Amino acid sequence: MSKRDYYEVLGVDRNASADEMKKAFRKAALKHHPDRNPDDKEAEQKFKEAAEAYEVLSDPQQKARYDQFGHAGMSSGAAGGPHFTGVDDIFSHFADIFGGSVFEDAFGRGAQRGGAHRRIQIELTFEEAMRGVEQTIEINRNELCAECRGTGAKRGTGPVACPYCHGHGEVEQRRGMFVMRQTCPNCRGAGQVVRDPCAKCSGSGRENARVKVPLRIPAGVADGQRLIARGEGDAGPNGTPRGDLYCDIRLKPHSIFEREGDDVLCEVPIGFAQAALGTEIEVPTLQGKASLHVPRGTQSGRVFRLAGKGFPSLAGRGRGSQMVRVVIEVPRTLTREQEELMHQFAATEDRNVTPRRKSFFEKAKTYLDELAGKE
């Protein structure tokens, strides 16, 4: 598969200034950063692609070579060229160039990677989502090995300084007048290596365990939203920070309510006489019973609003409403008395035709007359 043009990757033209390319790389890095796209291999690849493009185009010598020879000038046989060994290497490399701002500003920590993220799904009832809830969940995650206490070394021994980088965690490469640093490929930036690994964790310093994690779910969360519990993911290697726990919210279907944004929808059946004469009815809400006035002559399908009876806004902007749709229910069976009364009522309908029916039948008559005239 052929490589994309570096200028195309960053979305800049060939005359872009150094500052414009830096801004373009920052934008691409924030969009495709692995912390924002956990378990997304395509985003990780685009992140690496942007880092590679910026490394070449931000170096005057490499940029000149690329402008003249294209990707062929960046091949392994040519001097210079991209040299990243992985995502961790990119983090370390560009944290030095930008003073950490690209990653610290966006994700609240520096370029050094910690433990892996975990993702779970949490099911809530409508009532729990409305009021918020604190609950303790159980998850499997990597904890520090109890045998070696996270060192990865056999008990009684310990890690030693990496012989490749002499304990610095980084190695330097000279490119003309420039000195470039990159993460040590031997110790992966730790500065230490284990010669006699722990038998329990095979030198990883971590082991899988079932743990309890307390979570506070705010009031107003919606189906499909994701909450992030910082530092509740896997333990990081060599004392680096834990990963995060991504919690995807799912609302259980409710027997009588539906949700639309911060509003609650509810359909309430009423009788024909109630709609015609008007009435006061009690309707259920997520907070209990509420009284609703149904005015005389209410039509089936009319929607009433009960302000403040919906979900609280996560942004702190009040509450939604409950939307009550009334549906006129026609009885399937009638008592003899009801049937006699209905016949009496039906006899009066021809003398008191409602405007809507009158309009419809007039339009229908006109249409049928026109149709007959065309035959």
Side-chain angles (χ1 to χ4, degrees):
M1 181 178 177
S2 60
K3 283 189 174 183
R4 286 203 297 157
D5 179 76
Y6 285 151
Y7 292 96
E8 178 186 347
V9 169
L10 295 182
V12 297
D13 59 42
R14 290 182 175 270
N15 297 319
S17 65
D19 188 55
E20 288 173 332
M21 285 191 288
K22 183 175 180 179
K23 288 180 180 178
F25 170 63
R26 177 184 174 85
K27 182 179 179 180
L30 294 179
K31 180 179 180 180
H32 302 298
H33 191 287
D35 280 359
R36 282 189 172 177
N37 303 275
D39 303 323
D40 188 338
K41 296 298 183 183
E42 183 179 354
E44 181 177 325
Q45 186 57 42
K46 289 182 177 179
F47 178 80
K48 293 178 180 178
E49 187 181 43
E52 177 182 315
Y54 181 70
E55 193 207 16
V56 170
L57 299 182
S58 63
D59 182 300
Q61 293 182 347
Q62 293 194 72
K63 182 178 183 299
R65 189 183 308 114
Y66 179 77
D67 287 345
Q68 185 175 1
F69 302 106
H71 287 296
M74 301 294 107
S75 64
S76 58
H83 64 279
F84 298 119
T85 58
V87 172
D88 289 350
D89 189 9
I90 296 172
F91 289 166
S92 178
H93 182 66
F94 286 112
D96 290 339
I97 290 178
F98 293 111
S101 61
V102 169
F103 307 110
E104 290 175 349
D105 291 349
F107 305 102
R109 59 172 178 260
Q112 185 178 15
R113 297 276 288 184
H117 300 308
R118 290 278 174 171
R119 181 181 295 175
I120 61 170
Q121 182 171 293
I122 297 178
E123 283 194 333
L124 299 176
T125 64
F126 269 50
E127 293 77 10
E128 288 172 330
M130 184 200 68
R131 64 174 182 266
V133 65
E134 293 187 7
Q135 59 179 230
T136 299
I137 61 169
E138 289 191 2
I139 63 170
N140 291 317
R141 72 182 183 191
N142 287 331
E143 297 288 295
L144 294 180
C145 174
E147 177 70 18
C148 66
R149 298 182 181 180
T151 66
K154 182 179 178 180
R155 180 172 291 190
T157 68
V160 297
C162 173
Y164 191 83
C165 65
H166 305 292
H168 296 295
E170 294 180 331
V171 291
E172 293 185 350
Q173 289 186 349
R174 289 191 173 275
R175 298 183 180 177
M177 61 183 293
F178 295 98
V179 176
M180 308 298 289
R181 292 182 179 180
Q182 71 177 87
T183 302
C184 175
N186 186 50
C187 67
R188 298 184 179 274
Q192 297 178 318
V193 293
V194 174
R195 288 180 175 172
D196 195 359
C198 169
K200 186 175 183 181
C201 65
S202 302
S204 68
R206 292 170 292 177
E207 59 182 342
N208 192 265
R210 187 80 171 168
V211 297
K212 294 182 178 181
V213 177
L215 293 177
R216 186 185 70 82
I217 301 172
V221 292
D223 186 74
Q225 288 185 323
R226 173 178 293 174
L227 304 179
I228 302 178
R230 299 293 183 190
E232 293 294 352
D234 286 346
N238 306 304
T240 54
R242 282 185 174 275
D244 298 327
L245 180 63
Y246 291 81
C247 308
D248 294 326
I249 301 298
R250 293 289 178 267
L251 287 192
K252 297 178 183 178
H254 199 282
S255 59
I256 57 176
F257 297 124
E258 294 181 15
R259 182 173 181 176
E260 188 172 289
D262 289 336
D263 292 336
V264 176
L265 308 180
C266 179
E267 193 170 84
V268 177
I270 62 174
F272 167 76
Q274 290 177 303
L277 301 174
T279 187
E280 296 284 335
I281 61 174
E282 282 189 342
V283 297
T285 75
L286 289 172
Q287 297 135 316
K289 295 179 182 178
S291 179
L292 175 66
H293 173 67
V294 179
R296 178 187 293 266
T298 291
Q299 301 299 303
S300 186
R302 180 172 174 178
V303 176
F304 297 89
R305 179 188 297 271
L306 297 177
K309 296 296 184 181
F311 285 85
S313 170
L314 279 176
R317 300 170 184 167
R319 305 181 72 95
S321 301
Q322 177 164 316
M323 315 302 289
V324 180
R325 179 187 294 111
V326 295
V327 179
I328 298 176
E329 188 174 34
V330 178
R332 293 181 180 274
T333 58
L334 298 172
T335 65
R336 179 174 298 179
E337 181 183 8
Q338 289 173 328
E339 189 169 351
E340 289 177 357
L341 291 172
M342 291 300 296
H343 280 301
Q344 293 176 27
F345 176 78
T348 69
E349 284 192 297
D350 291 337
R351 300 192 300 271
N352 298 282
V353 180
T354 59
R356 186 172 181 178
R357 280 200 302 155
K358 183 178 180 180
S359 174
F360 171 78
F361 286 118
E362 287 177 348
K363 292 177 181 177
K365 183 177 183 305
T366 300
Y367 168 73
L368 293 173
D369 288 345
E370 291 176 350
L371 191 64
K374 293 178 180 179
E375 294 180 354

